[in-house]
Amino acid sequence: MPKGLKLHDEYGRAYRIAAALWQDFAPQLPRTDLDPARATHAFVLDLLRQCLGFTDLTPLSDPVPIGDRGFPVTAQALGGRLPVIIAPHSLGLDDPDPRFAIHGSGARRKSAHQLAQEFLNASRDCLWAIVTNGRSLRLLRDAETLTRPNFLEFDLETILREGEARYADFSALWRIA
C-alpha cells in the first residue's frame, strides 16, 4: 500500500471501482443479443485485476496440461498458482457445460466448479482457485479427500447491486482475496 493510506482506504477505492464496473455489466445481463461468455469474461477480468489486486491475471486460450489430461482453465494469476474459471453469467457454477469438459477424462460435460476442483486436486502447484460467473464468486481449496464440496461463496450481484448496504460484504471479499 502507498504510504499514508490505510487498509480501509484501499478496499473503499476497490469498492467504488467494482460498483462502476457492475454498472456497466448489469445492463448486459438480460440482453440476448450479446454473448454472455464474452461479457462476463470482460467484467471478471477487470474486477479481478482492478479491484481484487490480481494484476498479473493472464487469460489462457489452450487447456493446461497435467499428466494426460487438459484442463480448460480460463485464466491464471499469481504466477500460474491461482487458476480462474469464468462461466457465462447465464450459467450457474454447478451447471454442467461442454466448455468445462476436461480433455482426456472421458466426460463430455463438467460444471465450472467441478473443473476447478479437479484441476486443484491434480495440480501440485495450486492450492486455491476462483470460480465465477460474474454474479457469484467462489473460492475453492485443494481438497482431494473431501466428500462434499467446500468453498467460500460471495454473491457479487447482491453485493454490487445493493450498494453501501453491502459494503461490509465487499470489504470481507477484498480482504480474503
Side-chain angles (χ1 to χ4, degrees), residues 26-40:
Q28 298 176 43
L29 297 175
R31 291 184 55 179
T32 57
D33 61 326
L34 297 176
D35 178 13
R38 178 176 277 156
T40 307

Side-chain angles (χ1 to χ4, degrees), residues 7-8 11-12 15 52 154 159 166-177:
L7 189 61
H8 66 85
Y11 59 76
Y15 177 77
L52 299 180
F154 293 91
I159 291 170
R166 297 291 182 168
Y167 179 73
D169 296 336
F170 180 83
S171 68
L173 166 61
W174 187 88
R175 286 179 283 176
I176 289 169

Side-chain angles (χ1 to χ4, degrees), residues 12-31:
R13 177 182 167 276
Y15 177 77
R16 286 187 297 281
I17 294 169
L21 291 171
W22 180 260
Q23 290 297 95
D24 289 342
F25 178 58
Q28 298 176 43
L29 297 175
R31 291 184 55 179

Side-chain angles (χ1 to χ4, degrees), residues 17-161:
I17 294 169
L21 291 171
W22 180 260
Q23 290 297 95
D24 289 342
F25 178 58
Q28 298 176 43
L29 297 175
R31 291 184 55 179
T32 57
D33 61 326
L34 297 176
D35 178 13
R38 178 176 277 156
T40 307
H41 193 264
F43 168 71
V44 168
L45 292 180
D46 285 344
L47 180 75
L48 294 176
R49 285 181 181 139
Q50 297 176 31
C51 303
L52 299 180
F54 296 106
T55 56
D56 72 335
L57 187 66
T58 306
L60 302 175
S61 55
D62 295 324
V64 176
I66 298 178
D68 58 350
R69 298 183 296 170
F71 294 82
V73 172
T74 311
Q76 289 182 322
L78 303 177
R81 294 187 328 253
L82 179 73
V84 177
I85 312 298
I86 303 172
H89 62 76
S90 57
L91 190 66
L93 298 179
D94 296 313
D95 297 339
D97 190 89
R99 77 185 86 215
F100 303 119
I102 299 168
H103 305 269
S105 72
R108 291 188 181 146
R109 298 171 7 137
K110 294 267 185 201
S111 70
H113 183 103
Q114 288 172 319
L115 167 62
Q117 193 65 63
E118 288 189 34
F119 180 83
L120 285 175
N121 295 344
S123 172
R124 293 180 183 260
D125 301 327
C126 301
L127 190 59
W128 300 94
I130 291 176
V131 179
T132 184
N133 61 3
R135 294 174 183 261
S136 298
L137 183 142
R138 288 183 185 170
L139 182 63
L140 284 69
R141 188 181 190 290
D142 179 5
E144 200 169 326
T145 59
L146 295 176
T147 56
R148 287 185 285 163
N150 281 341
F151 52 87
L152 186 57
E153 183 168 350
F154 293 91
D155 184 347
L156 290 175
E157 184 169 14
T158 300
I159 291 170
L160 297 173
R161 185 186 65 228

